[in-house]
Amino acid sequence: MMVLQGTIPFEVVTVQKITMWFFIYHLIIPGFVFCLTEEGNKGYGPVFEEQPIDTIYPEESSDGQVSMNCRARAIPFPTYRWKLNNWDIDLTKDRYSMVGGRLVINNPEKSRDAGKYVCVVSNIFGTVRSSEATLSFGYLDPFPPEERYEVKVREGVGAVLLCEPPYHYPDDLSYRWLLNEFPVFIALDKRRFVSQTNGNLYIANVEASDKGNYSCFVSSPSITKSVFSKFIPLIPQSDRAKVYPADIKVKFKDTYALLGQNVTLECFALGNPVPELRWSKYLEPMPATAEISMSGAVLKIFNIQYEDEGLYECEAENYKGKDKHQARVYVQASPEWVEHINDTEKDIGSDLYWPCVATGKPIPTIRWLKNGVAFRKGELRIQSLTFDDAGMYQCIAENTHGIIYANAELKIVASPPTFELNPMKKKILAAKGGRVIIECKPKAAPKPKFSWSKGTELLVNGSRIRIWDDGSLEIINITKLDEGRYTCFAENNRGKANSTGVLEMTEATRITLAPLNVDVTVGENATMQCIASHDPTLDLTFIWSLNGFVIDFEKEHEHYERNVMIKSNGELLIKNVQLRHAGRYTCTAQTIVDNSSASADLVVRGPPGPPGGIRVEEIRDTAVALTWSRGTDNHSPISKYTIQSKTFLSEEWKDAKTEPADIEGNMESATVIDLIPWMEYEFRIIATNTLGTGEPSMPSQRIRTEGAPPNVAPSDVGGGGGSNRELTITWMPLSREYHYGNNFGYIVAFKPFGEKEWRRVTVTNPEIGRYVHKDESMPPSTQYQVKVKAFNNKGDGPFSLTAVIYSAQDAPTEIPTDVSVKVLSSSEMSVSWHHVSDKSVEGYQIRYWAAHDKEAAAQRVQVSNQEYSTKLENLKPNTRYHVDVSAFNSAGYGPPSRTIDVITRKAPPSQRPRIISSVRSGSRYIITWDHVKAMSNESAVEGYKVLYRPDGQHEGKLFSTGKHTIEVPVPSDGEYVVEVRAHSEGGDGEVAQIKISGATAGVPTLLLVLVVPTLGVLACSGF
């Protein structure tokens, strides 16, 4: 085979077997010929394994170098070079180095090195260019050093704190806000929102708790750097909170997204109360992949598709008013291959059409490179190929969103015909009366001319014989006279060759007993017969297919079985027939020479198939009209339909109430009634016939019924109690299914018992079941009548039953008497008092604070009205405390008693006793320790406490002594722990302990007395 590469120097590769005329013929061809051996034919042009990618190099990086990767495989091994902005890079400079195809730039500089890089790879077969890769320099400047101005806002009014991020690249910043100090970040909720578009902090309505210093914290993930601004003081101004309608301040713009990307839309509104945010797609359902954040301010569409394009709307609403914003989302796409080029071998002189098709939005343009140089645009067609057309080709598809490359090598081949790799079959079988095609496929370039002979007779096209363009010979209506030797001759301008085979005739295959149509019911068995005759020298195989698809008997063994016991019999048994088994069955009797087929129909009667085309029309508050199309009746008339519905409140499908109540089998529409207003529903339909109930239809599109005024009143209306001058009203909030409309809330009505005029207030949160009315003129423990009703944007519902409650009682006015305080230790004191006579008192509060602290820092202990005293713990030693006592009830706290001053004891000794010996004497241990000396700020030692307990337990026997020694019993079993601590009026000091054991191991008592002091203290801690 001869292959010429137009871009390589002349080279001759020795061929082992080559005739003289062949060699001379190629020496006189104009130009040159590149002759490859079979080994040399394994060479190929460069194929990329790794291409450079867009890189961001941080300007502050300490790495000192950046690399662009490029790797290709090729035989022979390729060479690499690089271009920057279409100019060749001088790789001899010290600033650059190459490792294989990898380019390393030392000490990169933005002014010299930023731009578009291309890797160019070459070998003797041609040249390819990599995709372009951009080297950018990333940075994030600090915020300006100037102080930020304080922001004063009235409580209840919305606020916006501007981030104003510093200069940066790239534009992929993320934003958070610090409160007062790092790393305390504010938590986002329905009232507060940080836009990831501009970094601003939005507060729907300012509260007193928002007071503080705020700083915008900006992070760049590309260069792993963060900066934060100077703090902005936010000072809420106390004011009687007013209500303000919703006002959208964060508005998403028209957005262009790429197919498959994730899209984020932001929407946030100021207002008091905090507005509710709702998202929708104009005249279309929301995308299935759309998710709305917990706060409602962010809509994310994952893996966006073309059908998600459209107009999106954000609506913000509180009971004071609403605001809307709309913008469009456009979905476009980077280029993507539909059909691309692959390595191709073409005969010299043939025509080339290389399809290269890409999809995208906008539609990509197509251009071509040959050996790295611009070649053509649009489709590529080359007629009468020559060796000069060989080389490396690149098809490039690009639009505004990206560029893709498809690389392939074109080889041009030339060779005389040869049958060495694909000779004709030596023996060809053909069925009597049938048709045979004898292939003739020599390897040759250019395409040869073909001729055929039978024996010595030259064959020409006729009524039974035809020579195809590819060289194949076709003979129809085979007879015995067609047997014989057939020879194919192939010839081109490089040479000629021939190949011969023998044709023999066999008996034809025939179906002698064809299958018959069968009619069965679901669950029964069916049999399809099939018997055939064939040439006895050949093997016969039966193949069954259903509706054109071959039956896999291994996978379908539960339902299909063949009769393999009788020769020439292909009978099919279908067990436990199901609806899916109905259709046209074809039996094919087949040998290696020919085949014969016969078909029959299997009719399966069973329950009806699912109805289709469900449409929901005439949507009202409690009813909708449904239409559908009939499904298959499966050869048994449909007797009735059942409509089922489902809401988001439950995953269970339930039978719906309809008009007419009984939907007959010839109907294709009905009305569903008794629905819940303003509820999202899905519907499905099930058909039934005499053979059973079929599968349900696909669910309808989800719809929402129209709204209606509520018709259910809140239950469990009651209340009472609370703080002074308050009336607390409570009720059980209605569940979502009883809201019946948007802007759902409650109207609370109340009046003193005996008055005619009802006062009304509105509660806009549907989840709240409590309202507290404050009125300084309200008498305590006054009887009130209260009732509650629900409302929505369609109207009001009925009032609940009237309940009788009482306003809050007054706080106690009496002062506890005979308050006394007893100091117990350095950290404890006991407080006692006499009760007040007020029956409404629920308990007593004891306040205490150190003399050097402010009264506002007082700690509090509360006890029930059954207690006359309490203990205060965890006090500071040797400290003066102020103590008072006051009574309280649900309305508040009464006046405190006179303040009592007390001083806690000095702290107990901090030094722990030093145990100096543990001596066993008969049945007792004698434990001795050094005297503990208290420091000047500690209580004097009054004696010692000794706890004698089993090891591992906390309880034991406690001894007190004024001496420095004590005797304890020898343990009868196991080990015991002896704990020693000093005791003072300030409490007990630190503990020293020692372990003792009852085991003597046969050592005499006298020896123990002498040995223990010698060895010192064993197992003793606290030294």
Side-chain angles (χ1 to χ4, degrees):
M1 180 177 68
M2 311 304 299
V3 181
L4 182 71
Q5 303 295 333
T7 59
I8 59 175
F10 176 72
E11 181 179 349
V12 177
V13 181
T14 304
V15 182
Q16 291 179 349
K17 294 181 179 180
I18 182 166
T19 62
M20 183 61 70
W21 69 266
F22 187 82
F23 180 73
I24 296 173
Y25 176 81
H26 285 282
L27 281 179
I28 62 176
I29 290 179
F32 63 91
V33 173
F34 182 32
C35 182
L36 293 176
T37 64
E38 189 169 336
E39 181 180 354
N41 212 12
K42 295 179 182 178
Y44 56 88
V47 178
F48 280 112
E49 292 183 328
E50 184 177 12
Q51 300 190 54
I53 59 174
D54 291 342
T55 302
I56 297 175
Y57 178 78
E59 290 186 357
E60 300 176 7
S61 174
S62 59
D63 292 346
Q65 63 176 218
V66 64
S67 61
M68 308 292 281
N69 293 334
C70 181
R71 187 174 75 253
R73 67 177 188 274
I75 298 176
F77 194 79
T79 60
Y80 297 87
R81 55 193 175 92
W82 283 85
K83 288 178 175 287
L84 170 58
N85 298 327
N86 283 329
W87 291 89
D88 285 335
I89 294 177
D90 185 358
L91 297 175
T92 62
K93 293 183 178 180
D94 292 339
R95 298 187 64 251
Y96 302 106
S97 58
M98 284 263 288
V99 180
R102 179 167 171 260
L103 173 67
V104 178
I105 307 170
N106 298 307
N107 300 317
E109 298 176 13
K110 183 176 181 180
S111 59
R112 292 202 287 180
D113 299 314
K116 294 184 182 296
Y117 286 76
V118 173
C119 174
V120 183
V121 189
S122 304
N123 74 355
I124 60 173
F125 290 100
T127 300
V128 289
R129 291 167 58 102
S130 72
S131 55
E132 289 184 343
T134 301
L135 175 60
S136 307
F137 286 74
Y139 61 92
L140 175 59
D141 289 348
F143 276 93
E146 291 79 18
E147 296 293 332
R148 296 285 189 107
Y149 294 108
E150 66 181 21
V151 177
K152 295 182 179 180
V153 185
R154 295 196 314 275
E155 291 181 10
V157 176
V160 181
L161 301 186
L162 302 182
C163 178
E164 298 177 335
Y167 292 114
H168 59 275
Y169 182 86
D171 192 16
D172 61 347
L173 302 182
S174 64
Y175 301 91
R176 291 185 290 174
W177 280 77
L178 296 168
L179 178 58
N180 294 326
E181 61 181 349
F182 182 87
V184 180
F185 294 97
I186 66 167
L188 303 182
D189 49 32
K190 290 188 175 183
R191 195 174 62 86
R192 296 182 293 190
F193 176 69
V194 175
S195 171
Q196 295 303 310
T197 301
N198 55 27
N200 295 343
L201 169 62
Y202 297 83
I203 305 176
N205 52 65
V206 172
E207 299 177 352
S209 60
D210 293 323
K211 183 178 181 180
N213 297 312
Y214 292 78
S215 172
C216 181
F217 188 87
V218 181
S219 299
S220 173
S222 297
I223 62 173
T224 61
K225 181 181 178 181
S226 301
V227 295
F228 55 88
S229 70
K230 290 286 187 177
F231 282 94
I232 304 172
L234 176 61
I235 305 173
Q237 303 292 295
S238 179
D239 191 8
R240 184 173 181 180
K242 298 181 180 179
V243 292
Y244 300 95
D247 181 14
I248 295 178
K249 290 298 184 184
V250 179
K251 300 179 179 181
F252 58 99
K253 300 177 181 179
D254 284 351
T255 302
Y256 287 84
L258 292 181
L259 185 72
Q261 281 188 338
N262 299 335
V263 176
T264 300
L265 305 180
E266 296 182 340
C267 179
F268 190 76
L270 310 184
N272 189 22
V274 176
E276 289 290 328
L277 297 171
R278 290 182 293 274
W279 291 86
S280 62
K281 187 181 181 188
Y282 184 65
L283 297 180
E284 294 183 73
M286 289 283 278
T289 59
E291 288 187 6
I292 299 173
S293 64
M294 293 294 292
S295 67
V298 178
L299 169 66
K300 285 191 175 181
I301 306 173
F302 296 92
N303 188 25
I304 195 166
Q305 301 298 306
Y306 287 124
E307 59 267 23
D308 299 330
E309 186 174 270
L311 189 64
Y312 287 80
E313 179 179 275
C314 169
E315 182 181 74
E317 183 176 10
N318 58 18
Y319 74 87
K320 191 66 177 177
K322 68 172 63 175
D323 193 9
K324 290 184 179 180
H325 171 70
Q326 290 181 335
R328 187 168 292 277
V329 174
Y330 300 91
V331 180
Q332 298 195 335
S334 302
E336 186 174 329
W337 291 121
V338 175
E339 185 176 9
H340 62 78
I341 58 176
N342 295 294
D343 290 346
T344 301
E345 239 180 40
K346 297 291 289 187
D347 294 346
I348 189 169
S350 64
D351 296 336
L352 171 70
Y353 168 58
W354 234 345
C356 188
V357 183
T359 184
K361 191 176 179 182
I363 296 174
T365 60
I366 301 292
R367 58 188 175 91
W368 295 81
L369 302 179
K370 179 185 176 185
N371 293 323
V373 179
F375 185 57
R376 291 187 187 176
K377 293 183 178 180
E379 65 177 21
L380 182 61
R381 291 181 184 271
I382 305 176
Q383 295 180 335
S384 300
L385 289 168
T386 68
F387 292 121
D388 291 335
D389 295 314
M392 298 300 300
Y393 287 78
Q394 293 179 278
C395 176
I396 302 172
E398 58 185 322
N399 65 9
T400 55
H401 300 299
I403 180 171
I404 54 176
Y405 291 71
N407 305 341
E409 181 179 359
L410 175 62
K411 289 184 176 181
I412 307 300
V413 297
S415 69
T418 175
F419 286 94
E420 290 183 5
L421 299 178
N422 194 21
M424 280 179 55
K425 292 182 179 179
K426 297 302 182 184
K427 183 178 181 181
I428 303 112
L429 299 178
K432 180 181 180 181
R435 167 177 173 264
V436 68
I437 296 175
I438 307 174
E439 292 185 341
C440 178
K441 293 186 175 180
K443 187 172 184 180
K447 182 181 177 181
K449 294 181 179 179
F450 296 95
S451 60
W452 282 84
S453 70
K454 178 187 177 189
T456 58
E457 177 188 358
L458 184 65
L459 300 179
V460 294
N461 288 337
S463 60
R464 296 179 51 248
I465 297 176
R466 181 187 170 197
I467 301 174
W468 291 4
D469 289 341
D470 67 354
S472 299
L473 175 66
E474 178 184 19
I475 307 174
I476 62 175
N477 296 328
I478 300 292
T479 68
K480 191 71 173 176
L481 297 176
D482 292 319
E483 291 185 326
R485 292 173 58 84
Y486 288 80
T487 302
C488 174
F489 299 90
E491 180 179 4
N492 65 10
N493 59 6
R494 305 270 170 175
K496 59 178 67 176
N498 62 74
S499 184
T500 300
V502 176
L503 175 65
E504 294 181 2
M505 189 191 76
T506 63
E507 291 298 322
T509 303
R510 297 281 186 269
I511 298 289
T512 57
L513 184 59
L516 301 176
N517 295 339
V518 181
D519 189 325
V520 296
T521 301
V522 168
E524 295 180 346
N525 295 340
T527 301
M528 292 278 190
Q529 60 188 4
C530 186
I531 298 177
S533 63
H534 66 290
D535 191 294
T537 64
L538 302 175
D539 292 330
L540 179 67
T541 303
F542 287 93
I543 298 174
W544 282 91
S545 61
L546 171 60
N547 297 327
F549 294 95
V550 175
I551 297 173
D552 187 331
F553 285 89
E554 288 188 4
K555 289 184 178 179
E556 298 281 348
H557 66 275
E558 292 184 2
H559 293 283
Y560 291 108
E561 186 177 302
R562 279 184 300 189
N563 187 344
V564 294
M565 302 301 295
I566 304 175
K567 189 176 180 181
S568 302
N569 188 340
E571 182 181 80
L572 173 67
L573 173 63
I574 311 171
K575 301 176 291 184
N576 187 21
V577 173
Q578 301 298 309
L579 290 172
R580 66 178 185 273
H581 298 141
R584 190 163 188 80
Y585 284 79
T586 299
C587 172
T588 300
Q590 177 177 290
T591 66
I592 61 172
V593 177
D594 67 337
N595 63 71
S596 180
S597 298
S599 300
D601 292 322
L602 174 64
V603 175
V604 180
R605 303 181 186 275
I614 300 178
R615 291 190 299 171
V616 185
E617 302 171 338
E618 301 177 22
I619 301 172
R620 301 189 292 276
D621 55 353
T622 60
V624 298
L626 292 186
T627 61
W628 62 90
S629 59
R630 294 168 55 87
T632 58
D633 62 9
N634 291 324
H635 311 288
S636 178
I638 296 173
S639 56
K640 71 171 185 175
Y641 289 101
T642 303
I643 298 178
Q644 295 184 326
S645 65
K646 183 178 74 169
T647 71
F648 76 92
L649 299 175
S650 171
E651 289 299 315
E652 181 183 358
W653 288 94
K654 299 179 180 178
D655 289 351
K657 191 173 182 180
T658 62
E659 284 185 355
D662 296 323
I663 307 173
E664 297 181 359
N666 60 354
M667 298 177 63
E668 293 186 7
S669 65
T671 300
V672 182
I673 60 174
D674 290 353
L675 300 177
I676 300 172
W678 203 63
M679 179 63 68
E680 290 184 347
Y681 278 96
E682 290 178 282
F683 301 95
R684 70 180 187 182
I685 303 174
I686 303 173
T688 302
N689 62 15
T690 56
L691 297 177
T693 298
E695 292 293 319
S697 68
M698 293 292 292
S700 69
Q701 180 181 335
R702 182 176 295 177
I703 60 98
R704 175 180 283 174
T705 52
E706 292 292 323
N711 63 4
V712 176
S715 60
D716 295 340
V717 177
S723 300
N724 195 16
R725 308 298 185 226
E726 288 184 352
L727 177 67
T728 302
I729 304 169
T730 60
W731 62 93
M732 179 66 70
L734 293 177
S735 59
R736 165 65 182 83
E737 60 190 293
Y738 297 112
H739 287 191
Y740 287 9
N742 201 4
N743 298 336
F744 182 84
Y746 302 97
I747 295 175
V748 181
F750 57 94
K751 69 181 181 67
F753 195 83
E755 291 190 10
K756 294 183 178 180
E757 292 293 327
W758 290 84
R759 294 191 60 180
R760 298 190 179 197
V761 293
T762 300
V763 178
T764 59
N765 190 334
E767 299 177 0
I768 288 180
R770 184 173 184 270
Y771 171 73
V772 178
H773 175 68
K774 296 184 179 182
D775 187 349
E776 293 300 325
S777 63
M778 183 188 301
S781 302
T782 302
Q783 191 179 51
Y784 275 81
Q785 291 178 296
V786 296
K787 56 185 180 180
V788 183
K789 67 178 178 179
F791 73 92
N792 60 23
N793 60 339
K794 296 293 183 178
D796 297 350
F799 269 115
S800 66
L801 295 175
T802 301
V804 176
I805 63 174
Y806 290 85
S807 62
Q809 55 198 358
D810 270 341
T813 57
E814 288 186 66
I815 299 174
T817 58
D818 292 340
V819 177
S820 65
V821 180
K822 180 180 180 181
V823 176
L824 302 178
S825 68
S826 63
S827 61
E828 296 176 333
M829 64 177 68
S830 173
V831 183
S832 61
W833 60 90
H834 282 177
H835 284 189
V836 299
S837 60
D838 190 342
K839 300 296 184 182
S840 70
V841 169
E842 298 176 2
Y844 293 88
Q845 174 179 268
I846 298 88
R847 295 192 309 160
Y848 59 99
W849 65 98
H852 59 267
D853 290 337
K854 295 182 179 179
E855 184 176 347
Q859 299 187 62
R860 293 166 170 79
V861 174
Q862 291 184 347
V863 297
S864 73
N865 59 6
Q866 304 297 315
E867 302 293 334
Y868 288 85
S869 64
T870 190
K871 181 188 290 186
L872 305 181
E873 299 176 326
N874 299 319
L875 304 175
K876 297 178 182 179
N878 198 26
T879 301
R880 180 181 296 277
Y881 278 91
H882 304 310
V883 183
D884 65 26
V885 181
S886 59
F888 69 87
N889 60 17
S890 61
Y893 297 94
S897 67
R898 66 181 180 86
T899 301
I900 298 178
D901 290 353
V902 292
I903 300 176
T904 54
R905 311 290 190 198
K906 291 183 179 181
S910 57
Q911 178 189 347
R912 68 181 67 194
R914 177 173 174 270
I915 299 176
I916 56 176
S917 67
S918 172
V919 179
R920 178 173 178 177
S921 176
S923 63
R924 306 187 70 79
Y925 269 102
I926 301 172
I927 313 296
T928 306
W929 59 89
D930 281 343
H931 176 62
V932 174
K933 294 181 180 180
M935 301 177 68
S936 60
N937 62 343
E938 296 176 343
S939 300
V941 176
E942 296 178 347
Y944 298 91
K945 290 182 178 179
V946 179
L947 178 64
Y948 176 72
R949 61 178 176 82
D951 188 20
Q953 298 183 20
H954 297 291
E955 301 295 329
K957 187 174 183 180
L958 183 65
F959 301 91
S960 294
T961 178
K963 301 178 181 180
H964 305 155
T965 182
I966 194 168
E967 293 185 9
V968 294
V970 173
S972 58
D973 185 26
E975 289 187 325
Y976 269 63
V977 176
V978 179
E979 296 181 353
V980 182
R981 72 189 78 196
H983 173 66
S984 70
E985 68 174 4
D988 296 336
E990 295 293 321
V991 176
Q993 67 178 27
I994 185 173
K995 288 185 180 179
I996 59 176
S997 174
T1000 62
V1003 180
T1005 302
L1006 180 60
L1007 182 61
L1008 282 173
V1009 173
L1010 295 175
V1011 169
V1012 171
T1014 304
L1015 296 180
V1017 179
L1018 302 179
C1020 180
S1021 64
F1023 286 39

